[in-house]
Amino acid sequence: MFKPLPFFIGLRYTAAKRRNRFISFTSLISFLGLALGVWVLIVVLSVMNGFDRELKQRILGMVPHASITTAQGTIENWPELIKQVEQSPDVVGAAPFISAQAMLTQGGHVKGAYIQGISPDDESKVSIIDEHMDAGKLADLAPGEFGIVLGDILSRQLGVSVGDKVTLILPEASINPAGIFPRLKRFNVVGIFSVGAELDASLAYIHYKDAAKLMRIEKGVLGIRLQLNDLFKAREVAWNVASELPGRYYVRDWTRTHGSLFQAIQMEKTIVGLLLTLIIAVASFNIVATLVMVVNDKQSDIAILRTLGATTRTVMAIFMVQGAVIGVLGTLLGVVTGVITALNLPSWIKAIEELLNFKFLDSSVYFISYLPSELQWQDVGLIACATLLLSFLATIYPAFRAANTQPAEALRYE
């Protein structure tokens, strides 16, 4: 006799051909439904993790984790303040900045841009811009030469490349004997960067000394940008750092500028995960329906087992094994296909885009220009465990119904 008996009979029932083809079809649907649910859940959560990662690395790699400004308008002793700020163990680096909203024009094209006046030597401490230069170098921004580094999309919209000139127009008027004119200056394009995000269409860098001349700042900078070890503690760390500085300063962190986007991704990940779990729940209900039909189909077999001495626990275990096999195999197939898809999804989507000559994510609309994916094994483990648990729970009612089968009633018409 094979032991354990419930496991042996349960496997035989699972592998045996059904006299009722509808039961076989329902079993297949249950199996495929579980696999599909697990596959979709792994892929979608991996994509959401990818968006989360890109937000942290690209968007928050280009914008400051926190910035310090003053009510006086400019910070004149910024070199000393930067040295003091960088002594904090929570601060990776600090750099000065002068920022302004402006318009860039060239050849009849006019585009709005956010101009950042930076120190090329210090910018690598607080930004990943150096890692994403397509042409030129950030070090080419020399004071007095009025060079400018443009985002890739912004440069294409203006129709310029390295070596060309653009006109920067500030939304401020200058009064001279000839009348009132906007403040403008010709800049040489010395570099182009691309981070694959919306910043490529709206951000431009110039030297902070050139920005000071353009904005008529005689001395100092408008603020100090901070790069922190833990961006999720940006508000607390920035306030602590500013409170230790001599004088009164204002603090602004990334949660005010991009925090809503990050929170939206986190909320979407949770809600989408819960909604897609319903696919697995529906497949689990299919297991219930399948096992109920199997129990009805195997009434005589159950009665014979009971007359041979099988206990109610043995009968329950037989049908729980049968449902568990469907759950395990469906979960295994879903995990394997989901992991393979999540690991290769970006390259597959890129190939489809090249084949169809169509861009699924336009960086002028979305904050990145490609579909990211990051597989996290804790998500895979959680999905697999939840699926197996739902599959197991789905076997309880049919197994209990089978265990309560009365042999005399089942064999009455046999």
Side-chain angles (χ1 to χ4, degrees), residues 268-302:
E268 287 175 5
K269 179 181 176 182
T270 302
I271 293 183
V272 168
L274 292 175
L275 292 176
L276 292 177
T277 304
L278 295 178
I279 298 177
I280 299 175
V282 170
S284 300
F285 281 115
N286 286 340
I287 294 178
V288 175
T290 300
L291 291 182
V292 167
M293 287 187 289
V294 171
V295 169
N296 291 334
D297 190 54
K298 298 292 184 181
Q299 289 286 322
S300 58
D301 293 2
I302 297 171

Side-chain angles (χ1 to χ4, degrees), residues 84-365:
Q84 183 175 344
V85 165
E86 289 180 336
Q87 292 178 358
S88 172
D90 297 312
V91 177
V92 176
F97 75 90
I98 296 176
S99 60
Q101 296 285 348
M103 291 186 296
L104 295 174
T105 177
Q106 168 62 25
H109 302 287
V110 180
K111 296 293 177 182
Y114 184 68
I115 307 299
Q116 279 275 34
I118 61 169
S119 169
D121 297 332
D122 298 324
E123 188 64 17
S124 59
K125 300 177 183 178
V126 297
S127 171
I128 60 173
I129 181 65
D130 274 337
E131 305 170 11
H132 296 275
M133 294 295 296
D134 286 352
K137 303 185 298 294
L138 207 62
D140 294 334
L141 292 176
E145 296 185 3
F146 293 96
I148 189 170
V149 175
L150 303 176
D152 174 57
I153 297 175
L154 185 58
S155 67
R156 285 190 275 112
Q157 290 174 340
L158 293 171
V160 297
S161 59
V162 173
D164 295 333
K165 294 182 179 293
V166 296
T167 301
L168 189 151
I169 305 173
L170 288 178
E172 297 180 13
S174 298
I175 302 176
N176 56 47
I180 300 176
F181 293 93
R183 192 179 305 172
L184 53 85
K185 179 66 180 177
R186 294 285 281 177
F187 278 79
N188 300 313
V189 179
V190 298
I192 294 175
F193 68 87
S194 175
V195 293
E198 62 181 352
L199 296 175
D200 292 343
S202 60
L203 186 60
Y205 290 98
I206 61 177
H207 199 281
Y208 78 93
K209 291 185 178 180
D210 293 340
K213 290 180 181 178
L214 190 64
M215 299 178 64
R216 298 178 180 175
I217 297 175
E218 296 182 359
K219 194 174 182 180
V221 295
L222 294 183
I224 298 173
R225 301 172 62 191
L226 304 181
Q227 186 80 359
L228 308 178
N229 281 318
D230 189 351
L231 60 91
F232 295 105
K233 295 181 179 179
R235 181 173 299 180
E236 176 186 351
V237 172
W239 276 107
N240 292 337
V241 169
S243 63
E244 297 176 357
L245 298 177
R248 183 179 179 183
Y249 297 94
Y250 297 113
V251 174
R252 189 177 185 184
D253 61 89
W254 69 271
T255 59
R256 295 187 181 183
T257 56
H258 292 80
S260 59
L261 182 59
F262 177 77
Q263 293 170 359
I265 290 178
Q266 291 293 315
M267 182 181 67
E268 287 175 5
K269 179 181 176 182
T270 302
I271 293 183
V272 168
L274 292 175
L275 292 176
L276 292 177
T277 304
L278 295 178
I279 298 177
I280 299 175
V282 170
S284 300
F285 281 115
N286 286 340
I287 294 178
V288 175
T290 300
L291 291 182
V292 167
M293 287 187 289
V294 171
V295 169
N296 291 334
D297 190 54
K298 298 292 184 181
Q299 289 286 322
S300 58
D301 293 2
I302 297 171
I304 293 172
L305 288 172
R306 291 297 306 276
T307 56
L308 291 175
T311 63
T312 56
R313 182 178 298 179
T314 301
V315 175
M316 284 189 67
I318 290 172
F319 290 93
M320 292 179 74
V321 166
Q322 187 175 359
V325 169
I326 296 175
V328 170
L329 294 179
T331 302
L332 182 61
L333 178 61
V335 166
V336 171
T337 55
V339 168
I340 294 174
T341 303
L343 292 176
N344 296 279
L345 187 62
S347 59
W348 290 351
I349 293 297
K350 184 178 180 180
I352 294 173
E353 287 179 340
E354 293 176 354
L355 180 63
L356 301 178
N357 194 25
F358 176 77
K359 198 73 174 175
F360 288 104
L361 293 178
D362 187 352
S363 57
S364 63
V365 179

